[in-house]
Amino acid sequence: MNKLLQTSAAAMLCLSALSMQAQNTKLTLDLTKPGVAVSPMLYGLMTEEINYAYDGGLYGELIRNRSFRNNPTKPESWLLVSDGDAKSEIKLIGGNPQSVPRNEQGNAINEALTSCLLLTVEKPGTRSGIANLGYWGIPVRANTTYSASFYVKGAAQTLPPAFGRNNNNANNQTIVPIANNTAGPITVSIESPDGKTVYASGTVNLANTPFWKKYSLKLTTGNVTPTKDAHFVITTNRTGLYYFNLVSLFPPTFNNRPNGNRPDIMQKMVDMKPKFLRFPGGNFLEGPYLGDHFPWKTTLGPIDGRPGHTGSWGYRASDGLGLLEFLEWCEDVKMEPLLAVFAGYSLNRDHIDAGPLLAPYVQDALDEIEYVTGDVHTYWGAKRAADGHPAPFKMTYVEIGNEDWFDKTNSYDGRFNQFRAAINKKYPKLKCISTIDEKNYASLRVVTGPKPYMVDEHYYQNSWQMQEDAFRYDSYDRKTSPKIFVGEWATREGSPTTNLIAALGDAAWMTGMERNSDLVLASCYAPLFVNVNPKNDATGEPSGMQWASDLIGYNALNSYGSPAYYVQKMFNNNIGNHVVPVTATDLPMLHIDTAGKNPPRGRKQKPTRPSLYFVATKDSKTGMVYLKVVNTADHEQPATLDLKGASTVASVGSVVVLKGDHPEDTNSITDPEKIVPVTSQLSGVGKSFSHTFPAYSVSILRIKTNSAK
Ligand code: AHR
């Protein structure tokens, strides 16, 4: 047991029921010698398509179901516009690409764009057309230019004689009710749902052709009042058949990337200063069934060639945010990719045995790594260059699979080793991460060959459990344990984003990871994003959330960080390069107040816990000491802070504090900044000084010491 734990345990024995008693807490920071080095990759991000993270989230596209493949039976998210005495209708064509009725064949643009929307206008009335609802609305901002594009063909093609597959309905030819279209303008607009307010509008001149043609235009708003509730509308005042596909609308994106991301959410990540991005999952890597895993090859190139795929969280992924976009996201946020490769295991617990059957998947992973890291002389590096990014991406870690502990057949040992051998043969410097951690799943771990370089541990717990686990890594055996990657973790209290008590649980847990960052080399909170729109019973639109308790929330127009987001930002922005050992005396304790919810894997909870958690690091170049202290108690707590071995200490430092009045306090889309960190001057600093930590708070004290190690 290390010294901190001895102190904590002793305190537990003698200080039960003392939460309100006078206390003489002292934290001693030992600056006489540096503690363990802080891992340069300690804090990163984890992402997957969950909670409408990309489609309806980070990815800039505003049109939902842009290529009409989200639902095989109806044109979901699309409405008919039929004003005045119009006689018009819309119909999904080729909704199920596996079984396209004879009278709907001949309308694909390519293998990816196989379904489309037919607008039939027999009588245009005031206007006839189609409207897209967006992801719970199309957002409108003032003085903003949007890029719209879509494919249209303006007449039915003459069908070839029936042959080949899918000749069902061969005798069921639709009699086209009207003659061919006339060429001429159609109107494209962003407008209110009732059509009375037009925020931006333009026209394109349609050709009268039975062949697909792509049209593009810009739509610019004036000094309008922002709204999240608009529709995107394309209308005509002429009779005809209008086939639509790949209807797209982009607002300005971060760094003006074409096919890019939402600036507000990107900026939130930039502000966090994460070191890596774990992607593409999570469950999204694996997919529900074999064959549904992240299809990185069909996520490359122009969006016109991307079919999208099933997804793992109950909705289809457009894959508009594909492999290169993940990598450019890393580039924009200045973080490294940490790529998870599909390892032959799906969510329905099927697996592919190691051996020849697995070999194509191993090759696919090698190709994918080459796309990320290969130079332009490699096959996939050249493909990346052709896609617009000649420079390879730096990558240190690759993860083989996701949560393979669910596979109770023990197949992971063989699968992991087959991937690792091939990866390390071609990329000896790449470090392979196993998804099975040794402590929790001893019987399922990788046993063949050398220990995996790192193992991925996941923790989703309540605040009490996270606080208790702040000491977890203090006792890992440094000689026998592989390095740890905490690839998913979160304190799950509060929804859709987490609340203050969750943020305190997170912060307590992070003190443990930071103190042990010789062992815990990398960590990332999950899930990162949530679209906070609730289920709409009137329209049948589902909720944007599949997983409660997330870090960053948004609707179509605005985004906000949870208190936990600010904890992440505070921790990442205030960290040295080595740990300063801290010992505590008279550490205050709390009793558990309610029976623990959601106990992790049947673990019994301890009846008491400290109410202060802490870690200190120092930057050896600047001499800056960062002392992080979490006070989970409902009252302020004073402590004496001793800087043992400091030769000089600046009398003025600064302190950044996140706090709230109640454990359930939180941020939300309507109250986004209720709990945010506040920085203030810290005076009276010395080799020994006292400081009071507010109730329910996370404090980071920045203390300037002599710059010697
Ligand atoms: O983060 C949500 C899910 O939790 C991830 O997709 C999966 O890896 C884990 O079970």
Side-chain angles (χ1 to χ4, degrees), residues 652-685:
V652 176
S654 62
V655 59
V656 49
V657 180
L658 181 96
K659 63 177 180 173
D661 298 331
H662 308 287
E664 298 79 21
D665 282 353
T666 198
N667 298 334
S668 65
I669 199 77
T670 49
D671 193 0
E673 296 191 341
K674 186 179 170 80
I675 304 208
V676 293
V678 174
T679 302
S680 56
Q681 189 174 291
L682 183 67
S683 43
V685 181

PDB file of all heavy atoms in Angstrom, residues 652-685:
ATOM      1  N   VAL A 652       1.858  35.158  -5.281  1.00  0.00           N
ATOM      2  CA  VAL A 652       0.563  35.231  -5.963  1.00  0.00           C
ATOM      3  C   VAL A 652       0.496  34.147  -7.037  1.00  0.00           C
ATOM      4  O   VAL A 652       1.411  34.003  -7.849  1.00  0.00           O
ATOM      5  CB  VAL A 652       0.369  36.613  -6.618  1.00  0.00           C
ATOM      6  CG1 VAL A 652      -0.935  36.654  -7.405  1.00  0.00           C
ATOM      7  CG2 VAL A 652       0.386  37.709  -5.563  1.00  0.00           C
ATOM      8  N   GLY A 653      -0.526  33.379  -6.989  1.00  0.00           N
ATOM      9  CA  GLY A 653      -0.773  32.366  -8.022  1.00  0.00           C
ATOM     10  C   GLY A 653      -2.175  32.574  -8.564  1.00  0.00           C
ATOM     11  O   GLY A 653      -2.720  33.675  -8.512  1.00  0.00           O
ATOM     12  N   SER A 654      -2.755  31.538  -9.061  1.00  0.00           N
ATOM     13  CA  SER A 654      -4.153  31.645  -9.498  1.00  0.00           C
ATOM     14  C   SER A 654      -4.870  30.335  -9.184  1.00  0.00           C
ATOM     15  O   SER A 654      -4.234  29.297  -8.967  1.00  0.00           O
ATOM     16  CB  SER A 654      -4.242  31.977 -10.992  1.00  0.00           C
ATOM     17  OG  SER A 654      -3.652  30.948 -11.735  1.00  0.00           O
ATOM     18  N   VAL A 655      -6.175  30.431  -9.162  1.00  0.00           N
ATOM     19  CA  VAL A 655      -6.970  29.233  -8.874  1.00  0.00           C
ATOM     20  C   VAL A 655      -8.184  29.234  -9.797  1.00  0.00           C
ATOM     21  O   VAL A 655      -8.806  30.263 -10.018  1.00  0.00           O
ATOM     22  CB  VAL A 655      -7.381  29.168  -7.385  1.00  0.00           C
ATOM     23  CG1 VAL A 655      -8.203  30.388  -6.963  1.00  0.00           C
ATOM     24  CG2 VAL A 655      -8.142  27.890  -7.073  1.00  0.00           C
ATOM     25  N   VAL A 656      -8.448  28.065 -10.374  1.00  0.00           N
ATOM     26  CA  VAL A 656      -9.638  27.920 -11.210  1.00  0.00           C
ATOM     27  C   VAL A 656     -10.576  26.952 -10.493  1.00  0.00           C
ATOM     28  O   VAL A 656     -10.151  25.892 -10.028  1.00  0.00           O
ATOM     29  CB  VAL A 656      -9.270  27.474 -12.647  1.00  0.00           C
ATOM     30  CG1 VAL A 656      -8.341  26.307 -12.677  1.00  0.00           C
ATOM     31  CG2 VAL A 656     -10.505  27.192 -13.470  1.00  0.00           C
ATOM     32  N   VAL A 657     -11.812  27.387 -10.352  1.00  0.00           N
ATOM     33  CA  VAL A 657     -12.778  26.634  -9.531  1.00  0.00           C
ATOM     34  C   VAL A 657     -14.063  26.366 -10.306  1.00  0.00           C
ATOM     35  O   VAL A 657     -14.629  27.266 -10.923  1.00  0.00           O
ATOM     36  CB  VAL A 657     -13.132  27.415  -8.237  1.00  0.00           C
ATOM     37  CG1 VAL A 657     -14.131  26.633  -7.390  1.00  0.00           C
ATOM     38  CG2 VAL A 657     -11.887  27.721  -7.431  1.00  0.00           C
ATOM     39  N   LEU A 658     -14.505  25.131 -10.247  1.00  0.00           N
ATOM     40  CA  LEU A 658     -15.829  24.743 -10.743  1.00  0.00           C
ATOM     41  C   LEU A 658     -16.632  24.322  -9.524  1.00  0.00           C
ATOM     42  O   LEU A 658     -16.177  23.470  -8.753  1.00  0.00           O
ATOM     43  CB  LEU A 658     -15.699  23.565 -11.702  1.00  0.00           C
ATOM     44  CG  LEU A 658     -17.008  23.073 -12.312  1.00  0.00           C
ATOM     45  CD1 LEU A 658     -17.201  23.702 -13.684  1.00  0.00           C
ATOM     46  CD2 LEU A 658     -17.007  21.558 -12.462  1.00  0.00           C
ATOM     47  N   LYS A 659     -17.792  24.901  -9.321  1.00  0.00           N
ATOM     48  CA  LYS A 659     -18.568  24.538  -8.129  1.00  0.00           C
ATOM     49  C   LYS A 659     -20.050  24.761  -8.370  1.00  0.00           C
ATOM     50  O   LYS A 659     -20.449  25.408  -9.348  1.00  0.00           O
ATOM     51  CB  LYS A 659     -18.103  25.341  -6.922  1.00  0.00           C
ATOM     52  CG  LYS A 659     -18.325  26.818  -7.068  1.00  0.00           C
ATOM     53  CD  LYS A 659     -17.908  27.573  -5.822  1.00  0.00           C
ATOM     54  CE  LYS A 659     -18.181  29.047  -6.072  1.00  0.00           C
ATOM     55  NZ  LYS A 659     -18.009  29.923  -4.987  1.00  0.00           N
ATOM     56  N   GLY A 660     -20.847  24.243  -7.454  1.00  0.00           N
ATOM     57  CA  GLY A 660     -22.296  24.447  -7.539  1.00  0.00           C
ATOM     58  C   GLY A 660     -22.894  24.298  -6.164  1.00  0.00           C
ATOM     59  O   GLY A 660     -22.214  23.912  -5.204  1.00  0.00           O
ATOM     60  N   ASP A 661     -24.185  24.605  -6.066  1.00  0.00           N
ATOM     61  CA  ASP A 661     -24.841  24.566  -4.758  1.00  0.00           C
ATOM     62  C   ASP A 661     -25.420  23.201  -4.439  1.00  0.00           C
ATOM     63  O   ASP A 661     -25.525  22.818  -3.286  1.00  0.00           O
ATOM     64  CB  ASP A 661     -25.977  25.594  -4.717  1.00  0.00           C
ATOM     65  CG  ASP A 661     -25.445  27.002  -4.895  1.00  0.00           C
ATOM     66  OD1 ASP A 661     -24.271  27.227  -4.498  1.00  0.00           O
ATOM     67  OD2 ASP A 661     -26.166  27.847  -5.441  1.00  0.00           O
ATOM     68  N   HIS A 662     -25.831  22.478  -5.481  1.00  0.00           N
ATOM     69  CA  HIS A 662     -26.510  21.203  -5.253  1.00  0.00           C
ATOM     70  C   HIS A 662     -25.884  20.141  -6.145  1.00  0.00           C
ATOM     71  O   HIS A 662     -25.517  20.436  -7.288  1.00  0.00           O
ATOM     72  CB  HIS A 662     -27.997  21.313  -5.591  1.00  0.00           C
ATOM     73  CG  HIS A 662     -28.664  22.462  -4.910  1.00  0.00           C
ATOM     74  ND1 HIS A 662     -28.946  22.448  -3.570  1.00  0.00           N
ATOM     75  CD2 HIS A 662     -29.063  23.666  -5.387  1.00  0.00           C
ATOM     76  CE1 HIS A 662     -29.515  23.607  -3.244  1.00  0.00           C
ATOM     77  NE2 HIS A 662     -29.581  24.358  -4.327  1.00  0.00           N
ATOM     78  N   PRO A 663     -25.839  18.887  -5.677  1.00  0.00           N
ATOM     79  CA  PRO A 663     -25.236  17.827  -6.488  1.00  0.00           C
ATOM     80  C   PRO A 663     -25.899  17.673  -7.844  1.00  0.00           C
ATOM     81  O   PRO A 663     -25.263  17.301  -8.813  1.00  0.00           O
ATOM     82  CB  PRO A 663     -25.433  16.559  -5.650  1.00  0.00           C
ATOM     83  CG  PRO A 663     -25.747  17.015  -4.278  1.00  0.00           C
ATOM     84  CD  PRO A 663     -26.291  18.396  -4.367  1.00  0.00           C
ATOM     85  N   GLU A 664     -27.204  17.950  -7.914  1.00  0.00           N
ATOM     86  CA  GLU A 664     -27.927  17.753  -9.181  1.00  0.00           C
ATOM     87  C   GLU A 664     -27.815  18.948 -10.113  1.00  0.00           C
ATOM     88  O   GLU A 664     -28.323  18.910 -11.234  1.00  0.00           O
ATOM     89  CB  GLU A 664     -29.425  17.478  -8.920  1.00  0.00           C
ATOM     90  CG  GLU A 664     -29.733  16.234  -8.122  1.00  0.00           C
ATOM     91  CD  GLU A 664     -29.510  16.448  -6.635  1.00  0.00           C
ATOM     92  OE1 GLU A 664     -29.519  17.620  -6.187  1.00  0.00           O
ATOM     93  OE2 GLU A 664     -29.292  15.455  -5.905  1.00  0.00           O
ATOM     94  N   ASP A 665     -27.205  20.027  -9.662  1.00  0.00           N
ATOM     95  CA  ASP A 665     -27.081  21.197 -10.544  1.00  0.00           C
ATOM     96  C   ASP A 665     -26.404  20.780 -11.837  1.00  0.00           C
ATOM     97  O   ASP A 665     -25.487  19.946 -11.835  1.00  0.00           O
ATOM     98  CB  ASP A 665     -26.247  22.294  -9.870  1.00  0.00           C
ATOM     99  CG  ASP A 665     -27.054  23.049  -8.832  1.00  0.00           C
ATOM    100  OD1 ASP A 665     -28.269  22.803  -8.737  1.00  0.00           O
ATOM    101  OD2 ASP A 665     -26.455  23.870  -8.108  1.00  0.00           O
ATOM    102  N   THR A 666     -26.833  21.422 -12.921  1.00  0.00           N
ATOM    103  CA  THR A 666     -26.277  20.988 -14.202  1.00  0.00           C
ATOM    104  C   THR A 666     -26.378  22.093 -15.245  1.00  0.00           C
ATOM    105  O   THR A 666     -27.007  23.132 -15.013  1.00  0.00           O
ATOM    106  CB  THR A 666     -26.984  19.702 -14.676  1.00  0.00           C
ATOM    107  OG1 THR A 666     -26.184  19.080 -15.669  1.00  0.00           O
ATOM    108  CG2 THR A 666     -28.383  19.968 -15.235  1.00  0.00           C
ATOM    109  N   ASN A 667     -25.770  21.873 -16.379  1.00  0.00           N
ATOM    110  CA  ASN A 667     -25.941  22.739 -17.546  1.00  0.00           C
ATOM    111  C   ASN A 667     -26.928  22.075 -18.497  1.00  0.00           C
ATOM    112  O   ASN A 667     -27.096  20.847 -18.457  1.00  0.00           O
ATOM    113  CB  ASN A 667     -24.602  22.967 -18.246  1.00  0.00           C
ATOM    114  CG  ASN A 667     -23.608  23.680 -17.338  1.00  0.00           C
ATOM    115  OD1 ASN A 667     -24.007  24.402 -16.420  1.00  0.00           O
ATOM    116  ND2 ASN A 667     -22.322  23.464 -17.571  1.00  0.00           N
ATOM    117  N   SER A 668     -27.531  22.874 -19.352  1.00  0.00           N
ATOM    118  CA  SER A 668     -28.500  22.306 -20.299  1.00  0.00           C
ATOM    119  C   SER A 668     -28.553  23.207 -21.523  1.00  0.00           C
ATOM    120  O   SER A 668     -27.953  24.283 -21.535  1.00  0.00           O
ATOM    121  CB  SER A 668     -29.885  22.211 -19.654  1.00  0.00           C
ATOM    122  OG  SER A 668     -30.341  23.519 -19.399  1.00  0.00           O
ATOM    123  N   ILE A 669     -29.298  22.796 -22.508  1.00  0.00           N
ATOM    124  CA  ILE A 669     -29.375  23.575 -23.745  1.00  0.00           C
ATOM    125  C   ILE A 669     -30.025  24.934 -23.462  1.00  0.00           C
ATOM    126  O   ILE A 669     -29.718  25.925 -24.131  1.00  0.00           O
ATOM    127  CB  ILE A 669     -30.127  22.779 -24.848  1.00  0.00           C
ATOM    128  CG1 ILE A 669     -29.831  23.340 -26.233  1.00  0.00           C
ATOM    129  CG2 ILE A 669     -31.605  22.677 -24.584  1.00  0.00           C
ATOM    130  CD1 ILE A 669     -28.518  22.973 -26.803  1.00  0.00           C
ATOM    131  N   THR A 670     -30.879  25.003 -22.441  1.00  0.00           N
ATOM    132  CA  THR A 670     -31.512  26.298 -22.123  1.00  0.00           C
ATOM    133  C   THR A 670     -30.757  27.063 -21.033  1.00  0.00           C
ATOM    134  O   THR A 670     -30.973  28.252 -20.849  1.00  0.00           O
ATOM    135  CB  THR A 670     -32.965  26.075 -21.659  1.00  0.00           C
ATOM    136  OG1 THR A 670     -32.959  25.053 -20.671  1.00  0.00           O
ATOM    137  CG2 THR A 670     -33.851  25.652 -22.813  1.00  0.00           C
ATOM    138  N   ASP A 671     -29.910  26.378 -20.316  1.00  0.00           N
ATOM    139  CA  ASP A 671     -29.118  27.046 -19.265  1.00  0.00           C
ATOM    140  C   ASP A 671     -27.687  26.502 -19.369  1.00  0.00           C
ATOM    141  O   ASP A 671     -27.223  25.728 -18.532  1.00  0.00           O
ATOM    142  CB  ASP A 671     -29.742  26.718 -17.890  1.00  0.00           C
ATOM    143  CG  ASP A 671     -29.182  27.601 -16.790  1.00  0.00           C
ATOM    144  OD1 ASP A 671     -28.326  28.454 -17.100  1.00  0.00           O
ATOM    145  OD2 ASP A 671     -29.590  27.435 -15.625  1.00  0.00           O
ATOM    146  N   PRO A 672     -26.984  26.911 -20.448  1.00  0.00           N
ATOM    147  CA  PRO A 672     -25.737  26.215 -20.802  1.00  0.00           C
ATOM    148  C   PRO A 672     -24.557  26.527 -19.901  1.00  0.00           C
ATOM    149  O   PRO A 672     -23.573  25.780 -19.900  1.00  0.00           O
ATOM    150  CB  PRO A 672     -25.468  26.702 -22.236  1.00  0.00           C
ATOM    151  CG  PRO A 672     -26.220  27.977 -22.376  1.00  0.00           C
ATOM    152  CD  PRO A 672     -27.383  27.909 -21.449  1.00  0.00           C
ATOM    153  N   GLU A 673     -24.634  27.615 -19.128  1.00  0.00           N
ATOM    154  CA  GLU A 673     -23.438  27.999 -18.363  1.00  0.00           C
ATOM    155  C   GLU A 673     -23.749  28.196 -16.892  1.00  0.00           C
ATOM    156  O   GLU A 673     -23.208  29.086 -16.235  1.00  0.00           O
ATOM    157  CB  GLU A 673     -22.830  29.257 -18.977  1.00  0.00           C
ATOM    158  CG  GLU A 673     -22.347  28.976 -20.385  1.00  0.00           C
ATOM    159  CD  GLU A 673     -21.508  30.084 -20.963  1.00  0.00           C
ATOM    160  OE1 GLU A 673     -21.582  31.213 -20.452  1.00  0.00           O
ATOM    161  OE2 GLU A 673     -20.785  29.802 -21.933  1.00  0.00           O
ATOM    162  N   LYS A 674     -24.604  27.348 -16.369  1.00  0.00           N
ATOM    163  CA  LYS A 674     -24.917  27.449 -14.939  1.00  0.00           C
ATOM    164  C   LYS A 674     -23.679  27.085 -14.118  1.00  0.00           C
ATOM    165  O   LYS A 674     -23.390  27.693 -13.102  1.00  0.00           O
ATOM    166  CB  LYS A 674     -26.070  26.488 -14.618  1.00  0.00           C
ATOM    167  CG  LYS A 674     -26.601  26.590 -13.209  1.00  0.00           C
ATOM    168  CD  LYS A 674     -27.763  25.608 -13.036  1.00  0.00           C
ATOM    169  CE  LYS A 674     -28.190  25.465 -11.594  1.00  0.00           C
ATOM    170  NZ  LYS A 674     -29.046  26.548 -11.146  1.00  0.00           N
ATOM    171  N   ILE A 675     -22.967  26.072 -14.587  1.00  0.00           N
ATOM    172  CA  ILE A 675     -21.778  25.620 -13.853  1.00  0.00           C
ATOM    173  C   ILE A 675     -20.578  25.688 -14.785  1.00  0.00           C
ATOM    174  O   ILE A 675     -20.422  24.835 -15.671  1.00  0.00           O
ATOM    175  CB  ILE A 675     -21.991  24.185 -13.353  1.00  0.00           C
ATOM    176  CG1 ILE A 675     -23.245  24.163 -12.514  1.00  0.00           C
ATOM    177  CG2 ILE A 675     -20.761  23.679 -12.630  1.00  0.00           C
ATOM    178  CD1 ILE A 675     -23.331  23.173 -11.464  1.00  0.00           C
ATOM    179  N   VAL A 676     -19.772  26.708 -14.605  1.00  0.00           N
ATOM    180  CA  VAL A 676     -18.566  26.845 -15.433  1.00  0.00           C
ATOM    181  C   VAL A 676     -17.402  27.232 -14.518  1.00  0.00           C
ATOM    182  O   VAL A 676     -17.609  27.815 -13.455  1.00  0.00           O
ATOM    183  CB  VAL A 676     -18.739  27.920 -16.535  1.00  0.00           C
ATOM    184  CG1 VAL A 676     -19.767  27.492 -17.566  1.00  0.00           C
ATOM    185  CG2 VAL A 676     -19.097  29.261 -15.935  1.00  0.00           C
ATOM    186  N   PRO A 677     -16.193  26.924 -14.925  1.00  0.00           N
ATOM    187  CA  PRO A 677     -15.057  27.282 -14.083  1.00  0.00           C
ATOM    188  C   PRO A 677     -14.818  28.792 -14.064  1.00  0.00           C
ATOM    189  O   PRO A 677     -15.041  29.470 -15.056  1.00  0.00           O
ATOM    190  CB  PRO A 677     -13.883  26.554 -14.741  1.00  0.00           C
ATOM    191  CG  PRO A 677     -14.354  26.063 -16.044  1.00  0.00           C
ATOM    192  CD  PRO A 677     -15.833  26.184 -16.122  1.00  0.00           C
ATOM    193  N   VAL A 678     -14.356  29.254 -12.923  1.00  0.00           N
ATOM    194  CA  VAL A 678     -14.023  30.677 -12.767  1.00  0.00           C
ATOM    195  C   VAL A 678     -12.586  30.752 -12.259  1.00  0.00           C
ATOM    196  O   VAL A 678     -12.208  30.045 -11.321  1.00  0.00           O
ATOM    197  CB  VAL A 678     -14.982  31.349 -11.756  1.00  0.00           C
ATOM    198  CG1 VAL A 678     -14.558  32.785 -11.485  1.00  0.00           C
ATOM    199  CG2 VAL A 678     -16.411  31.301 -12.283  1.00  0.00           C
ATOM    200  N   THR A 679     -11.798  31.616 -12.901  1.00  0.00           N
ATOM    201  CA  THR A 679     -10.398  31.758 -12.493  1.00  0.00           C
ATOM    202  C   THR A 679     -10.236  33.034 -11.689  1.00  0.00           C
ATOM    203  O   THR A 679     -10.783  34.074 -12.040  1.00  0.00           O
ATOM    204  CB  THR A 679      -9.496  31.815 -13.746  1.00  0.00           C
ATOM    205  OG1 THR A 679      -9.707  30.631 -14.499  1.00  0.00           O
ATOM    206  CG2 THR A 679      -8.025  31.901 -13.369  1.00  0.00           C
ATOM    207  N   SER A 680      -9.494  32.952 -10.612  1.00  0.00           N
ATOM    208  CA  SER A 680      -9.233  34.159  -9.831  1.00  0.00           C
ATOM    209  C   SER A 680      -7.812  34.128  -9.286  1.00  0.00           C
ATOM    210  O   SER A 680      -7.127  33.095  -9.342  1.00  0.00           O
ATOM    211  CB  SER A 680     -10.248  34.301  -8.692  1.00  0.00           C
ATOM    212  OG  SER A 680     -10.224  33.143  -7.910  1.00  0.00           O
ATOM    213  N   GLN A 681      -7.425  35.264  -8.794  1.00  0.00           N
ATOM    214  CA  GLN A 681      -6.074  35.370  -8.240  1.00  0.00           C
ATOM    215  C   GLN A 681      -6.005  34.622  -6.914  1.00  0.00           C
ATOM    216  O   GLN A 681      -6.961  34.610  -6.147  1.00  0.00           O
ATOM    217  CB  GLN A 681      -5.763  36.845  -8.030  1.00  0.00           C
ATOM    218  CG  GLN A 681      -4.322  37.099  -7.661  1.00  0.00           C
ATOM    219  CD  GLN A 681      -4.052  38.591  -7.611  1.00  0.00           C
ATOM    220  OE1 GLN A 681      -4.056  39.285  -8.623  1.00  0.00           O
ATOM    221  NE2 GLN A 681      -3.843  39.088  -6.423  1.00  0.00           N
ATOM    222  N   LEU A 682      -4.849  34.042  -6.655  1.00  0.00           N
ATOM    223  CA  LEU A 682      -4.641  33.320  -5.398  1.00  0.00           C
ATOM    224  C   LEU A 682      -3.521  34.048  -4.675  1.00  0.00           C
ATOM    225  O   LEU A 682      -2.354  33.986  -5.097  1.00  0.00           O
ATOM    226  CB  LEU A 682      -4.232  31.879  -5.724  1.00  0.00           C
ATOM    227  CG  LEU A 682      -4.019  30.918  -4.581  1.00  0.00           C
ATOM    228  CD1 LEU A 682      -5.335  30.637  -3.863  1.00  0.00           C
ATOM    229  CD2 LEU A 682      -3.427  29.607  -5.103  1.00  0.00           C
ATOM    230  N   SER A 683      -3.869  34.760  -3.620  1.00  0.00           N
ATOM    231  CA  SER A 683      -2.807  35.491  -2.923  1.00  0.00           C
ATOM    232  C   SER A 683      -2.459  34.796  -1.613  1.00  0.00           C
ATOM    233  O   SER A 683      -3.146  33.864  -1.191  1.00  0.00           O
ATOM    234  CB  SER A 683      -3.207  36.947  -2.711  1.00  0.00           C
ATOM    235  OG  SER A 683      -4.527  36.995  -2.308  1.00  0.00           O
ATOM    236  N   GLY A 684      -1.385  35.258  -1.004  1.00  0.00           N
ATOM    237  CA  GLY A 684      -0.957  34.671   0.267  1.00  0.00           C
ATOM    238  C   GLY A 684      -0.329  33.304   0.110  1.00  0.00           C
ATOM    239  O   GLY A 684      -0.282  32.502   1.044  1.00  0.00           O
ATOM    240  N   VAL A 685       0.170  33.025  -1.095  1.00  0.00           N
ATOM    241  CA  VAL A 685       0.775  31.712  -1.334  1.00  0.00           C
ATOM    242  C   VAL A 685       2.186  31.706  -0.732  1.00  0.00           C
ATOM    243  O   VAL A 685       2.887  32.718  -0.758  1.00  0.00           O
ATOM    244  CB  VAL A 685       0.843  31.426  -2.853  1.00  0.00           C
ATOM    245  CG1 VAL A 685       1.441  30.055  -3.123  1.00  0.00           C
ATOM    246  CG2 VAL A 685      -0.540  31.539  -3.467  1.00  0.00           C
TER     247      VAL A 685
END
